[in-house]
Amino acid sequence: MVSSLSILASIAIIRSSFNEFIPQEIRSYIWEFCRRFSSELTIVVKESHEGSTNHLFNALVTYLGSNAFCSTSSSSSSSYQRRLTVGKSESMKVLTYGLDRNSEIVDVFHGIPMKWGYYADFNSTLHYESRWYELRFHKRYTDLIKNKYLPYILDMAKRIKDQNRMVKFYTTRGGRDGWSSKGQNLDHPMTFETLAMDGDLKAKIIDDIAGFIRGKEYYKKIGKVWKRGYLLYGPPGTGKSSLIAAMANYLNYDIYNLNLSAVNSDSGLEFLLLHMSDRSILVVEDIDCSIMLQNRQAGDHQQENNTQSSRPQVTLSGLLNAIDGLLSCCGNERIIVFTTNYKDRIDPALLRAGRMDMHIYLSYCTFSTFKQLAVNYLDIWDHDLFTSIEKLIKEVQVSPADVAGELMKNKDPKTSLEGLVKFLEEKKSEAKLQKPEIKSENNSLEQKAADAAFENNEEAESPKAQSTSPFENNYRVKEEFEPVLEAILSKHGDIAANCSLHSLQCRSSLLEIVCDIIQKLQATDLENLTEIQLESMLNSIQDLESMKLEVGWLRWRLEEIMQEMDKQLKGGSAETNQSNSNGKLNCFNSKSLIDGLI
């Protein structure tokens, strides 16, 4: 035992003296001479290569650092000195590890030990530190190292960086000013696990995205650019923005939010797209209303709509070329997302396969979506009130955002669900007050117009519907509304001339809503008109005005009626007020409610 210790001490002294008294150059020459008689080869990977950054060196920093705590099957690994460095940069989600100088580690690839060492030397004369890695392996594995192991390191290092880096959010600064310089860290908590969406639709989207990220070789094989487009459409509050955030977190892709109204020309759009990074998502929200991109299949569009803004802007042709022309080849692994509330407003050329490959309709809240919200907000999977809620959700149309807002009001499950039931019942009562002709799947007025336009198409097949319209503008409305519309146009002119909807069918449907309100006022009197009915009419008129229908004359009349109703309520006796508990006024006004309107 004593003799063994003295031998080890002697070896340590000799090694120390050798390193201290023999210069580095001579030591290197001696080791190089000895290696000529060895079966082991050494590869040196320096920090720079031919005057530029050595990407393999940077890949080794990431790859070996990620394996720093991994065990190795090499029995000799315990003899290597392993000192690690640790840190965290702003651009990374997790702590990053690396080898400290003059440290060694063994990596196992295909069952073969790969002996790595990390070294550094400081030149005091030049005040420069050189750093390098050394790989030692048996000569028989030379082909494996060159053809498989080193390419594997480059690929794995890229995957590790992509997985651990922070997702960035970039916004448009305008034209050739480019994107925001550094971008903001996108710390959005939404994931596919917490996204409230129909389960089958969610699974379909995840499968499509997973197929895309695995499809590099497939896209290369078929000769297409490695990109994919998604159109998200549906009523407001149905989760379009949340889905984009979930996609970004799932893929770990940066988001570039493109505001088309801030881009002054097609060349400015090209500049922006050329300065996007790979592995990114280009988002254009509300594409139908950000700028005037004319739907070329709308045969009745107004020229004045095209001149609303005199400043230069992106054209439809420029946008088409940017997302699907030769310019789209200047980048890989990109996703393009358009969002809109009204799909029919978008030119079909933007929606074809190759541009928008998958059209995703985000509907009003379903029972499946509600259950996901209940898990997220209340941490419950079942409740006695679920049956009532399922029935109500099938009868009314509310967005997931509305349901989530109700669930957030109280953390107690029973109280929260009771509040939701009350909210849904109120929505159901409001829906019953609407006439069947103007009801639709969506509560938005423009969707009502689209549905009514579809009904008009069906009616056009009958000889009755094919009769010539009595109006110069060729508006086609139901026969019962024709006299009313004729009177409106004669009195007030073409109130839909400046409407933001281009299609004659959609404009006709909006005019039917105006005619319906006139007929309701004509068929009733102040005594039998309820405040809820009047408020519903006013809301419809406000929506019509938002679409630039000239119905201010009708809004003023409704406001006058509302004021008269308030006077009657305030001036009525206690007995009268008692009789009005059902919401109707018990006074009589012999004057027609539409007197002077048409």
Side-chain angles (χ1 to χ4, degrees):
M1 182 68 179
V2 175
S3 60
S4 299
L5 291 174
S6 83
I7 291 172
L8 291 174
S10 300
I11 292 173
I13 293 171
I14 292 172
R15 181 178 179 180
S16 177
S17 301
F18 180 80
N19 291 334
E20 183 175 356
F21 295 107
I22 298 179
Q24 171 65 31
E25 292 79 5
I26 297 177
R27 279 186 282 150
S28 300
Y29 178 79
I30 293 173
W31 291 124
E32 184 65 27
F33 179 78
C34 294
R35 288 190 185 108
R36 293 182 181 181
F37 303 97
S38 172
S39 61
E40 193 174 68
L41 285 180
T42 301
I43 290 179
V44 178
V45 183
K46 295 184 179 180
E47 186 174 9
S48 60
H49 179 69
E50 296 182 352
S52 61
T53 301
N54 189 342
H55 294 293
L56 180 57
F57 179 90
N58 293 334
L60 283 168
V61 173
T62 302
Y63 174 75
L64 294 178
S66 68
N67 294 336
F69 290 106
C70 296
S71 60
T72 174
S73 61
S74 174
S75 58
S76 61
S77 63
S78 58
S79 64
Y80 292 111
Q81 180 185 13
R82 190 188 302 179
R83 299 177 65 228
L84 305 178
T85 61
V86 62
K88 185 181 184 305
S89 65
E90 186 179 351
S91 61
M92 303 297 285
K93 296 179 181 177
V94 297
L95 297 173
T96 55
Y97 297 89
L99 295 179
D100 196 9
R101 65 177 65 189
N102 303 322
S103 295
E104 297 179 338
I105 191 174
V106 175
D107 182 37
V108 179
F109 181 73
H110 289 189
I112 301 166
M114 304 294 177
K115 304 171 185 176
W116 284 100
Y118 173 61
Y119 307 99
D121 184 48
F122 183 75
N123 189 319
S124 58
T125 304
L126 300 177
H127 298 284
Y128 173 77
E129 183 182 47
S130 59
R131 302 183 298 167
W132 70 94
Y133 284 95
E134 290 185 5
L135 170 62
R136 298 192 300 276
F137 57 93
H138 197 280
K139 291 179 180 179
R140 73 168 70 99
Y141 303 125
T142 301
D143 290 339
L144 178 70
I145 300 296
K146 290 191 303 180
N147 300 328
K148 293 186 177 180
Y149 184 50
L150 295 181
Y152 169 78
I153 290 174
L154 289 169
D155 182 61
M156 286 301 299
K158 181 179 183 299
R159 292 187 185 185
I160 293 168
K161 281 187 175 180
D162 290 339
Q163 181 180 356
N164 295 334
R165 69 185 182 90
M166 289 291 298
V167 175
K168 295 287 187 178
F169 182 82
Y170 297 90
T171 56
T172 316
R173 291 190 299 185
R176 293 191 177 274
D177 291 335
W179 303 100
S180 50
S181 55
K182 293 183 179 180
Q184 297 292 322
N185 289 340
L186 184 68
D187 195 18
H188 200 293
M190 183 59 69
T191 64
F192 277 116
E193 288 73 21
T194 57
L195 179 65
M197 178 185 287
D198 180 76
D200 293 338
L201 178 59
K202 185 190 297 188
K204 184 178 179 181
I205 295 171
I206 294 174
D207 287 345
D208 191 83
I209 294 173
F212 167 74
I213 60 179
R214 294 193 303 264
K216 181 178 181 180
E217 294 303 321
Y218 174 75
Y219 277 83
K220 185 177 180 180
K221 176 184 174 182
I222 63 177
K224 294 191 68 175
V225 180
W226 192 13
K227 67 178 180 66
R228 193 151 181 84
Y230 295 92
L231 174 71
L232 313 183
Y233 68 101
T238 50
K240 292 183 281 291
S241 298
S242 296
L243 176 55
I244 293 171
M247 292 170 67
N249 286 327
Y250 179 81
L251 297 165
N252 223 47
Y253 282 13
D254 291 336
I255 292 180
Y256 288 81
N257 190 53
L258 178 60
N259 180 5
L260 288 175
S261 62
V263 185
N264 296 327
S265 64
D266 291 343
S267 60
L269 177 61
E270 293 175 359
F271 180 85
L272 288 168
L273 298 188
L274 284 171
H275 288 78
M276 285 177 58
S277 64
D278 291 342
R279 292 179 54 84
S280 58
I281 302 175
L282 177 68
V283 177
V284 183
E285 294 192 277
D286 297 319
I287 188 171
D288 57 298
C289 56
S290 55
I291 60 172
M292 185 62 67
L293 292 175
Q294 182 62 54
N295 185 335
R296 296 171 295 180
Q297 288 195 356
D300 59 316
H301 56 269
Q302 300 268 341
Q303 292 296 326
E304 57 267 31
N305 287 336
N306 298 330
T307 58
Q308 287 181 354
S309 175
S310 59
R311 70 173 184 82
Q313 64 175 19
V314 175
T315 65
L316 176 60
S317 174
L319 183 59
L320 293 175
N321 292 329
I323 65 174
D324 195 34
L326 291 175
L327 182 65
S328 65
C329 303
C330 303
N332 273 319
E333 208 169 351
R334 289 181 179 175
I335 285 178
I336 302 172
V337 179
F338 290 167
T339 74
T340 180
N341 295 334
Y342 311 104
K343 179 182 175 180
D344 60 325
R345 287 189 183 182
I346 303 177
D347 193 286
L350 276 170
L351 303 181
R352 72 163 175 79
R355 289 170 180 154
M356 294 294 105
D357 302 284
M358 187 175 184
H359 297 191
I360 303 171
Y361 176 66
L362 300 175
S363 67
Y364 284 109
C365 189
T366 63
F367 185 61
S368 173
T369 304
F370 159 72
K371 289 194 293 184
Q372 178 69 62
L373 290 169
V375 172
N376 292 346
Y377 288 88
L378 304 177
D379 200 26
I380 58 173
W381 284 260
D382 197 10
H383 195 276
D384 293 340
L385 291 172
F386 273 23
T387 304
S388 300
I389 292 173
E390 180 179 11
K391 182 180 179 181
L392 286 167
I393 281 182
K394 290 179 180 178
E395 297 175 347
V396 298
Q397 294 153 346
V398 290
S399 68
D402 290 333
V403 174
E406 291 298 317
L407 295 179
M408 289 181 67
K409 291 181 178 179
N410 198 300
K411 294 183 179 180
D412 176 64
K414 186 175 185 295
T415 306
S416 181
L417 293 178
E418 287 175 348
L420 177 61
V421 169
K422 182 179 178 181
F423 171 77
L424 294 174
E425 287 175 343
E426 290 174 354
K427 285 286 186 181
K428 182 179 177 180
S429 299
E430 292 176 7
K432 285 183 177 179
L433 295 174
Q434 303 294 326
K435 280 196 69 173
E437 289 84 359
I438 60 172
K439 284 184 66 177
S440 66
E441 287 188 7
N442 297 336
N443 287 339
S444 67
L445 188 57
E446 295 190 34
Q447 187 64 38
K448 293 177 186 177
D451 291 342
F454 178 75
E455 292 176 3
N456 288 339
N457 282 339
E458 290 183 328
E459 292 172 1
E461 296 177 1
S462 64
K464 179 180 177 180
Q466 291 175 357
S467 60
T468 305
S469 171
F471 314 118
E472 294 181 0
N473 306 79
N474 293 322
Y475 295 128
R476 177 174 291 160
V477 296
K478 295 177 182 177
E479 186 178 17
E480 62 186 281
F481 291 143
E482 286 185 357
V484 179
L485 181 57
E486 186 174 16
I488 292 173
L489 297 180
S490 300
K491 176 79 173 181
H492 303 283
D494 188 0
I495 62 174
N498 297 318
C499 180
S500 59
L501 299 182
H502 304 307
S503 169
L504 269 176
Q505 293 176 347
C506 289
R507 291 185 180 185
S508 298
S509 301
L510 296 181
L511 290 171
E512 283 189 349
I513 296 174
V514 177
C515 295
D516 182 69
I517 293 174
I518 293 292
Q519 278 196 349
K520 284 181 179 179
L521 294 176
Q522 192 174 24
T524 189
D525 51 31
L526 200 58
E527 177 185 6
N528 295 307
L529 186 65
T530 66
E531 291 187 39
I532 295 177
Q533 287 176 321
L534 188 57
E535 288 176 358
S536 177
M537 292 179 189
L538 278 168
N539 290 335
S540 296
I541 291 299
Q542 289 172 359
D543 289 340
L544 290 169
E545 286 185 314
S546 71
M547 285 178 281
K548 300 182 180 179
L549 251 70
E550 297 172 2
V551 288
W553 49 275
L554 184 53
R555 174 172 52 81
W556 296 331
R557 176 56 55 88
L558 292 174
E559 290 174 350
E560 288 176 356
I561 296 173
M562 179 69 78
Q563 292 174 3
E564 184 64 25
M565 291 173 71
D566 290 341
K567 289 180 183 178
Q568 296 287 353
L569 280 173
K570 293 177 182 178
S573 63
E575 182 180 353
T576 302
N577 289 336
Q578 179 66 26
S579 67
N580 290 338
S581 58
N582 60 357
K584 294 183 179 180
L585 294 170
N586 196 28
C587 57
F588 178 77
N589 191 336
S590 59
K591 180 181 177 182
S592 172
L593 296 179
I594 64 167
D595 186 46
L597 285 182
I598 57 176

